[in-house]
Amino acid sequence: MVVKVDPGRCIGCGMCAAAAPGVFRVEGRVSVVVSQPSSKAEENRVFDAANGCPVNAISAER
């Protein structure tokens, strides 16, 4: 899986970091990907974060 955050769209709400703390972290005012998902469960949390992102700043592709 490849996970990306568009820093131009991200508003830094932190929802993704709460859903998948091993993958996302809020730095400054935007979320960043700190590591790619390492398990199926973590992939599912990333998809939840992407679907819940209020500004659609997260892309996740298998």
Side-chain angles (χ1 to χ4, degrees):
M1 168 177 272
V2 177
V3 182
K4 298 178 185 174
V5 175
D6 180 345
R9 295 185 74 128
C10 182
I11 59 172
C13 73
M15 188 280 309
C16 57
V23 177
F24 302 101
R25 179 173 53 220
V26 176
E27 292 184 356
R29 304 184 103 187
V30 297
S31 181
V32 296
V33 176
V34 293
S35 69
Q36 297 297 317
S38 59
S39 69
K40 184 72 169 169
E42 200 165 50
E43 285 184 5
N44 290 337
R45 288 191 295 272
V46 167
F47 279 127
D48 288 344
N51 288 332
C53 179
V55 293
N56 296 318
I58 301 170
S59 65
E61 297 179 17
R62 288 196 174 151

